[in-house]
Amino acid sequence: MGWLWAIIVGLVLGVIARAILPGKQDIPLWLTVVFGVLGSILGNAVASWIGVEDTKGIDWIRHLLQLAGAVAVVAVGDMAWQAIRGNRQRT
């Protein structure tokens, strides 16, 4: 079940990250999920480094760090995807 939740959270965070970033991202949905999962992992790592990974109640700081990680990973990943695939348009 842990992997299923990671995929669901990755999808949600990736889609929110794409909505936050300006412009159009040309990455496919499956890559958005992967980047969202990676961003979530990055946010959890930062939360544990600063000591806020587990608090009483809702872990708002951890969730915001996960979202910030997803935004960063989606932004960098989109640039890398465009560099690898080129800026060619689909016909």
Side-chain angles (χ1 to χ4, degrees), residues 24-62:
K24 183 176 184 284
Q25 292 76 39
D26 291 323
I27 55 176
L29 183 61
W30 67 268
L31 202 52
T32 301
V33 172
V34 170
F35 290 159
V37 169
L38 291 175
S40 176
I41 292 169
L42 178 66
N44 280 336
V46 171
S48 66
W49 292 335
I50 63 174
V52 294
E53 74 274 5
D54 190 27
T55 59
K56 292 183 179 182
I58 299 174
D59 298 327
W60 291 111
I61 296 172
R62 181 174 55 101

